[in-house]
Each structure stands twice: as C-alpha cells, then as structure tokens.
Amino acid sequence: MSKSKSKKIAVLGTGANGSCIAADLTRNGHDVTLIDQWPAHVETMRAEGLRVALPDEELHVKVRAHHLCDLCAINETFDIVFLVVKAYDTRWMCELIKPYLAPDGLLIGVQNGMTADDIAAIVGPSRTIGCVVELSSEIFTPGLVQRNTPPAGTWFGLGSLDPSMDGRVPEVEAILRDVGKVSITQNIRAAKWMKLVVNTMSLGPFAMLGMRISEAAELPGMRDLALKIGAEALEVGQRLGYPIEPIFGLSPEDVRGSNQLLEKLLDKLCRDVGPRARDCVLQDHLKGRYSEVDLINGLV
C-alpha cells in the first residue's frame, strides 16, 4: 500500500463535489470516511452506496457514510480532511472537525471563496493547505450525483499559506491525483482570487437567467456583462496585492501579459464543464437554499 493510501481521510461535506471526491478516493483504495449533514443522502449511501453519473459512465461505489451527529461516536482522528462545504459554513465546520484532526493532520478547503485563512485561524497554519478547485457536479437526489467534469477535466490547485508548509503539499497532491489533475502554485491566495474572478463572472449572473452555463454564456449581451464583472473583480484583487496566477491547468505563459485573460478563463470554464452543467448558485436557488453570492460578488 502506498504511503498516501495508508492515511485516514475524511471528506467533510459530501454534497455534489464532496461525493465526487469521496467516490474517486474510495474506488482508488484510500481509507475514506464521508461526513454530511443531509440525513436522506447519508442513509441512501449507507443502504445503496453512492452513484456518480459521469458523461460516459456511471460509478456505483460502496462508501462509509456518517451524519454529522455520528462524529462523536467515530472516535478516531484523521490525517487528511477535505472540507467541501459552502464558504459560509467554513468556520463552524472547522471548529466541529478540529478535535478529530490529527496533531500533524491537514485540513484542505476544497471550496469557492477566500476561505483558506479562515481555516488556518481555527486549526492552525501548520495544519492548513490552500486549494482551488474546478469540478462541476450537482445533486438533487439522495445518493445520486451528476458529475459534469470527469477526472480528465477536473483540476485542483494546491499551495501552502506559509513557506514552512511547502513540504506537506505533495502529500495532498498524491491523493488528489486520483480525482483529477493537480497543479502546485507558489501563491495560493492569488490563485483562489483568480477563481473568485471567474466565479463572479459566471455563478451569480448566469444563475439569474435560470439557464445552463453553456446557454447563458451565448445569450446576447451576457458575455460582455460577465467580462465587465470579471474586470472589476480582477482590479480589486490586484489592489489587494493578488497578482495574476494561472488556474484551471493553464500555464504562466497562457495568462500573464494576456490581453484576453478573462475571455480565456471564461471560455475554458465553459468547455470544461460541458453543455449539461448548471452552476452551484442556480442549484441553490432551485433548492431554496442560501447561495455563496454574498461571499463572491458581495466580497468584491
């Protein structure tokens, strides 16, 4: 067994993206515990396993799933915790899992928004690795996820918040390579802001139309609006000290000095997620849930 597969892993928050990550890690032989707050989803996974419908195949994986209220009875600590919850749930979820994170364990927020420093403030900088994610999926039925980006189209960016943690990043990289492509960045905060820029352009604006991402992007005038929103977010980030950082697997040459940076990022997002994807804000509205817009466009 490889060193990465001997680690005890928890996926805290197994909605759409969390379920995709947990399913891939489980089927690749990792020791994974799923923890979620949706009782029907947990009970379905326990009874029937987890199904993930990809564009070209469907996975059916037997998983070890627990409700949040079961956490106190698990009675173990985790080496790696992937936090895959809405940005507004970050702080209380970190406090919840903190006693179950090993002293030298790592907590990775696989989330939208600028959550990495909030995580570090609670579990400590020496137990935090920053992450940017490109993974499109949705869940409306307990135990069944539609994943729009298969592993070949899924991407993670990883980086330490402090140079003293650079040596721990490859541990997480080795694990996430079983879910998608992985890049290591020297400025994870800037990379997270770059993803925030893309999210400002697409999530809220496209959700207002009630349309799939590919449909909304082609609506007359919508592309221009999205690019204006992105330009504002990019300028705010640069004034805050975040340089342009490549994301989505693009190279530094692809993004630095480009006079079409925002167009390139928006086009790549639309290609990667494919024609059936609905963004997470639209999904939240359809479910009657609070969305992350306040921590994305609202933050800008």
Side-chain angles (χ1 to χ4, degrees):
M1 181 183 291
S2 70
K3 188 174 180 181
S4 66
K5 292 184 179 178
S6 66
K7 294 181 180 297
K8 287 189 174 295
I9 299 171
V11 179
L12 180 57
T14 54
N17 280 1
S19 288
C20 294
I21 293 167
D24 274 357
L25 294 181
T26 299
R27 72 176 178 137
N28 280 286
H30 294 275
D31 182 353
V32 185
T33 298
L34 289 69
I35 306 168
D36 197 65
Q37 55 187 326
W38 184 11
H41 184 43
V42 172
E43 293 305 320
T44 301
M45 290 191 290
R46 284 174 168 172
E48 303 173 12
L50 173 60
R51 289 187 295 150
V52 181
L54 294 100
D56 298 319
E57 64 174 326
E58 181 171 306
L59 306 179
H60 193 179
V61 184
K62 184 178 180 180
V63 295
R64 190 164 63 248
H66 297 275
H67 189 269
L68 287 182
C69 63
D70 298 325
L71 188 57
C72 60
I74 294 176
N75 197 27
E76 62 180 301
T77 57
F78 298 101
D79 302 304
I80 302 285
V81 174
F82 292 108
L83 180 66
V84 199
V85 298
K86 298 293 183 182
Y88 51 74
D89 283 331
T90 299
R91 296 190 69 89
W92 75 267
M93 280 286 198
C94 288
E95 293 286 4
L96 177 73
I97 201 65
K98 183 178 179 179
Y100 304 95
L101 184 63
D104 62 346
L106 295 173
L107 181 54
I108 301 97
V110 189
Q111 303 167 282
N112 292 323
M114 302 299 288
T115 61
D117 285 298
D118 289 332
I119 295 169
I122 293 169
V123 302
S126 65
R127 296 198 290 176
T128 306
I129 296 294
C131 180
V132 189
V133 59
E134 182 189 23
L135 199 175
S136 171
S137 60
E138 63 179 63
I139 182 170
F140 285 84
T141 303
L144 175 61
V145 176
Q146 173 182 299
R147 180 172 176 179
N148 304 310
T149 51
T154 297
W155 174 84
F156 301 93
L158 296 173
S160 62
L161 303 181
D162 184 272
S164 65
M165 289 293 290
D166 287 353
R168 302 293 307 274
V169 177
E171 298 175 34
V172 185
E173 177 191 19
I175 293 169
L176 285 179
R177 285 202 181 279
D178 282 330
V179 185
K181 299 174 182 177
V182 185
S183 304
I184 294 178
T185 175
Q186 298 304 307
N187 193 332
I188 190 62
R189 293 180 179 88
K192 286 187 73 64
W193 190 272
M194 290 300 297
K195 176 65 187 305
L196 185 91
V197 170
V198 177
N199 286 344
T200 64
M201 290 194 286
S202 58
L203 299 186
F206 292 175
M208 288 191 297
L209 301 172
M211 302 171 72
R212 286 177 166 79
I213 293 172
S214 59
E215 297 169 335
E218 296 302 320
L219 197 69
M222 199 61 205
R223 185 179 180 87
D224 288 342
L225 174 62
L227 294 175
K228 288 178 182 178
I229 293 170
E232 179 186 5
L234 186 64
E235 181 182 358
V236 170
Q238 291 181 319
R239 290 188 180 189
L240 291 172
Y242 300 126
I244 292 173
E245 189 73 12
I247 58 172
F248 296 167
L250 296 172
S251 70
E253 292 72 26
D254 289 328
V255 300
R256 290 184 183 135
S258 171
N259 59 2
Q260 293 184 317
L261 172 63
L262 298 176
E263 294 96 321
K264 188 172 294 186
L265 290 170
L266 185 60
D267 288 343
K268 189 166 194 318
L269 173 72
C270 292
R271 287 196 306 271
D272 289 348
V273 302
R276 63 180 188 167
R278 294 183 288 190
D279 73 51
C280 57
V281 172
L282 176 56
Q283 293 178 51
D284 288 335
H285 285 312
L286 293 173
K287 296 172 185 176
R289 290 185 50 173
Y290 177 45
S291 79
E292 294 174 303
V293 165
D294 286 344
L295 294 175
I296 297 173
N297 299 75
L299 179 61
V300 174

